[in-house]
Amino acid sequence: MTVLLKLYPAAYRREFGDEIADAHRRATEGAGRRARTREALDVVGHALRMRLGLSSAGRAGRLPAAVAPFAVVVAGLNAMFWSRLTVSSLRAASGIGEAGPVLLVGVSGFVTLLGAVAALTGRWAAGAWTVLAGTVAAFAAMAFRPGFGLGFAVVVGGLPLLAALSAVLCPPDLRPASRLRTATGAAAVSAGAVALTVVPAVSALPSPLGALFAVAPVTGGLLLAGRPAFARLRTAPAVLVAGLPVVALVTLAGALGAPAMMLALGLLVVAATVVGVRRRRGGSLPSV
């Protein structure tokens, strides 16, 4: 626990260190390894939020909470693309030596995808940390792969990494509520997500039906996030930060042509403008 306490700012540690240590001791006394790991991750997340000033009472903390479900959708969708490319590479490779460099990216992608499913189906803390771990592993694999390097990893993996971090930094009292409460439902969503990842790499659909492999997971992820997630987008920056990465990734996947992309961006700007105007006028925002 001493190591975990050092993650907090010095002033905060002096004032609340004993309370944090006592609460951690009581929470982990007689607990199993899984419970101790969960408590340790909660402490790490809390310490990071304190260092960054991301409390639920401030605007800086409410922004990650508002965009968190959408960030998880972005990270999961990006992980599907990585894993899909890996499956295609494995099918085309003549041997494991040729496919080895991309294998870690693909495995990390599947880990990230399952973490996104866990987060969106009610296991937010475990899912968000899994998303971060998988995204960091894929980022590192690209950064240290010969021929790619750090610059390539930043360009390709920077956005998913920021999305994963925003999910982890969401204050606990503002985490999205569980909408899928059964293990059977979560398993079905996981199986569907894996199928939507693997099938296009094995048997691609003709255009424009191939766009379904990007549109379907985005639609499913947003449905899992539900109306409460949209209702939290109460500022124009929150709308833009939540929506722009989704539009960008779906466009890069080839699901949106130039006209459709411009239409999506226009609708996003209009939505952000409406939300901003309503907020300045003090009007109530619709729960959409």
Side-chain angles (χ1 to χ4, degrees):
M1 185 58 196
T2 302
V3 175
L4 294 178
L5 283 176
K6 289 183 178 179
L7 297 175
Y8 285 94
Y12 191 91
R13 186 169 63 244
R14 285 193 298 269
E15 186 172 357
F16 299 106
D18 292 340
E19 295 179 25
I20 296 171
D22 184 60
H24 182 268
R25 179 187 57 78
R26 286 186 279 106
T28 57
E29 189 173 6
R33 179 179 299 177
R34 180 179 298 180
R36 292 197 300 271
T37 301
R38 184 173 60 249
E39 290 296 329
L41 290 176
D42 283 345
V43 171
V44 172
H46 185 241
L48 289 175
R49 288 191 295 275
M50 291 302 100
R51 282 194 175 274
L52 296 173
L54 301 178
S55 69
S56 59
R59 180 179 300 178
R62 290 195 296 269
L63 180 60
V67 304
F70 305 93
V72 168
V73 171
V74 166
L77 181 63
N78 187 77
M80 293 178 74
F81 298 156
W82 284 345
S83 301
R84 193 175 298 162
L85 288 172
T86 299
V87 173
S88 299
S89 299
L90 289 174
R91 294 181 70 236
S94 59
I96 190 64
E98 183 179 338
V102 300
L103 189 58
L104 179 56
V105 176
V107 172
S108 301
F110 278 110
V111 169
T112 302
L113 178 59
L114 295 178
V117 170
L120 292 171
T121 55
R123 296 166 178 81
W124 182 266
W129 280 105
T130 302
V131 166
L132 180 60
T135 306
V136 169
F139 186 93
M142 290 185 289
F144 291 103
R145 182 185 176 188
F148 285 176
L150 182 59
F152 177 86
V154 170
V155 172
V156 175
L159 178 60
L161 188 58
L162 289 175
L165 283 171
S166 68
V168 167
L169 294 174
C170 174
D173 54 332
L174 296 180
R175 286 172 180 168
S178 173
R179 291 175 50 81
L180 192 62
R181 301 180 182 278
T182 65
T184 302
V189 173
S190 299
V194 172
L196 285 172
T197 302
V198 175
V199 170
V202 177
S203 178
L205 290 176
S207 179
L209 295 179
L212 291 174
F213 291 123
V215 174
V218 169
T219 303
L222 295 179
L223 287 174
L224 286 174
R227 292 177 62 185
F230 289 91
R232 284 189 172 185
L233 299 177
R234 298 189 178 97
T235 65
V239 173
L240 293 175
V241 172
L244 283 174
V246 177
V247 175
L249 278 182
V250 175
T251 301
L252 290 174
L256 293 179
M261 180 195 69
M262 296 305 296
L263 176 60
L265 289 175
L267 292 174
L268 189 62
V269 170
V270 169
T273 302
V274 170
V275 169
V277 169
R278 284 181 175 271
R279 184 174 180 83
R280 284 195 297 271
R281 290 180 177 177
S284 60
L285 296 177
S287 296
V288 295

